[in-house]
Amino acid sequence: MAHEQGKAVGVATNVGVDHATPAAFYAHVPDRGMYNRIGHQLIEAGFDFYAGSDFLEAKNKKDSTEADLYTLSRNAGYTIAKGYGDYKKLAKKADRIILFQSDKANKADHWSLPFAIDRTKNDLSLADITRAGINFLTKKDKGDGFFLMVEGGKIDFACHANDTKTTFTEVVDMDEAIRVAYEFYQQHPDETLIVVTADHETGGLSLGSGAYKLNLGILARQKMSTAAYSAHIKYMRETYGRNLTWNVMNADLSENWGFGGDLLLNDHQTKRLQRAYEGLMSGMAEGVETLYQKDDAVCDAARRTLNENALVSWTVTSHTNGLVPVFAVGAGSELFTGMMDNTEIPQRIAKVAGYK
């Protein structure tokens, strides 16, 4: 509706630009996994700004003669930027733009940006994406207004893995992106509406599983996401071979998860880690597979152990029917109070914006 009325429009995420949530704003297909077809509809929608890790299926697997989505995007007038620095170089002359992470980051994982806990200084962040989106759309809108959707999709990834520390850091990272939007709101308080919500809850996270007690400070000991640690374990297994002794593994767990010292594990937790290590060395450990990743058995044991000591628990590795909050500030924010069905949210945004 915004696009049809001449407003500048952007759709952005820190996962694939054609993943489910961003795709819902510009595409309509029978199956969310039809990434190439979704990518075609991204181009056809003709919005001004897109951002994400990459196209998830740039080439048409059913037709090798068809041009890939990068070529089709450029043919349709899109400039493709790789990273925030590249965006700043290209944005001034771009009519429409797609912002992806760097080629180096894509080689490691084109499905999404790195988790905030694993991010390096050269990696694209959700705050960068939000800043770029606002910058580009305000240049395009010529004072007529714009609509921008930004998804912190990696929160869901972390929740599927029941990775508490990574989940918390992703929420903080989302908050940093909201801060960028809020700074824009402070400059234009009478004409800006910011709505923050979620499409669902994932994992059924419960805080305080020890009779009103909570020990979240323990989580600070975790140095990388479970996805990154599983890759680290694979590297150790390949590097050490049969020389990967329990003492070496135990020292690594202490280094990356903080076990030992003043964090003493009980016998059950120690034996769980040792069994996982023995399974790894014998080739019998299967690990744990969730929607977006497969964690090594040792990593899974470490995750469970840290959660227990932090006194947090999870009920599932899938979505739940738990209610989600809706926060709003700015013009028309008074409409976003009380219980509401999720389908009412876009209707209320359209009402505030005056879209017909």
Side-chain angles (χ1 to χ4, degrees), residues 46-327:
F47 295 165
D48 304 278
F49 176 86
Y50 295 103
S53 60
D54 195 3
F55 286 122
L56 297 180
E57 194 175 302
K59 295 183 179 180
N60 188 338
K61 295 179 179 179
K62 296 181 180 179
D63 184 359
S64 60
T65 64
E66 182 180 271
D68 62 34
L69 293 177
Y70 308 112
T71 302
L72 293 173
S73 296
R74 292 187 177 101
N75 290 345
Y78 282 97
T79 297
I80 297 179
K82 300 291 185 72
Y84 189 63
D86 197 34
Y87 164 79
K88 289 192 288 186
K89 294 177 184 177
L90 299 173
K92 287 184 179 180
K93 295 183 179 180
D95 182 53
R96 293 182 293 182
I97 199 163
I98 302 174
L99 172 58
F100 289 142
Q101 64 182 352
S102 68
D103 289 331
K104 181 179 179 181
N106 264 342
K107 287 180 180 178
D109 178 13
H110 87 291
W111 273 82
S112 62
L113 273 60
F115 284 115
I117 191 175
D118 302 322
R119 190 166 58 220
T120 68
K121 65 179 182 179
N122 295 321
D123 286 322
L124 187 65
S125 71
L126 194 64
D128 291 336
I129 286 173
T130 306
R131 188 173 291 107
I134 292 173
N135 169 267
F136 194 79
L137 295 176
T138 51
K139 181 187 79 168
K140 287 284 295 182
D141 72 8
K142 300 177 182 178
D144 293 330
F146 67 90
F147 173 87
L148 173 63
M149 190 290 293
V150 180
E151 180 201 24
K154 294 286 281 192
I155 298 172
D156 182 56
F157 281 38
C159 288
H160 277 292
N162 290 178
D163 186 350
T164 310
K165 168 69 179 291
T166 302
T167 296
F168 286 6
T169 56
E170 285 304 310
V171 173
V172 171
D173 200 56
M174 176 74 173
D175 190 56
E176 290 299 319
I178 295 168
R179 183 194 303 274
V180 173
Y182 189 75
E183 289 171 353
F184 177 84
Y185 156 75
Q186 288 178 309
Q187 297 170 13
H188 308 276
D190 297 328
E191 57 198 73
T192 304
L193 169 65
I194 301 174
V195 179
V196 182
T197 189
D199 49 355
H200 54 73
E201 195 277 338
T202 301
L205 175 62
S206 174
L207 301 178
S209 56
Y212 305 110
K213 295 180 181 179
L214 199 56
N215 192 18
L216 295 181
I218 290 290
L219 297 173
R221 297 166 181 254
Q222 182 180 338
K223 293 186 176 180
M224 62 181 82
S225 68
T226 56
Y229 192 69
S230 288
H232 172 70
I233 290 289
K234 181 179 179 181
Y235 172 78
M236 288 184 66
R237 184 77 175 88
E238 293 171 349
T239 302
Y240 283 87
R242 300 306 304 177
N243 293 322
L244 181 58
T245 64
W246 167 244
N247 286 339
V248 173
M249 179 60 70
N250 196 31
D252 193 81
L253 288 165
S254 177
E255 170 67 20
N256 289 296
W257 294 85
F259 301 148
D262 58 346
L263 178 51
L264 297 177
L265 306 184
N266 59 39
D267 289 343
H268 171 72
Q269 291 168 341
T270 300
K271 289 178 180 177
R272 173 201 287 153
L273 290 167
Q274 289 176 333
R275 285 195 302 270
Y277 160 77
E278 291 165 1
L280 172 72
M281 298 305 292
S282 66
M284 298 297 290
E286 295 183 0
V288 175
E289 187 169 2
T290 52
L291 185 59
Y292 297 118
Q293 67 188 60
K294 184 173 183 179
D295 287 333
D296 176 90
V298 175
C299 178
D300 181 62
R303 176 191 61 77
R304 292 175 183 274
T305 300
L306 194 69
N307 283 345
E308 288 171 359
N309 283 279
L311 300 176
V312 301
S313 60
W314 299 78
T315 56
V316 293
T317 58
S318 57
H319 301 166
T320 74
N321 69 344
L323 298 178
V324 297
V326 181
F327 304 100

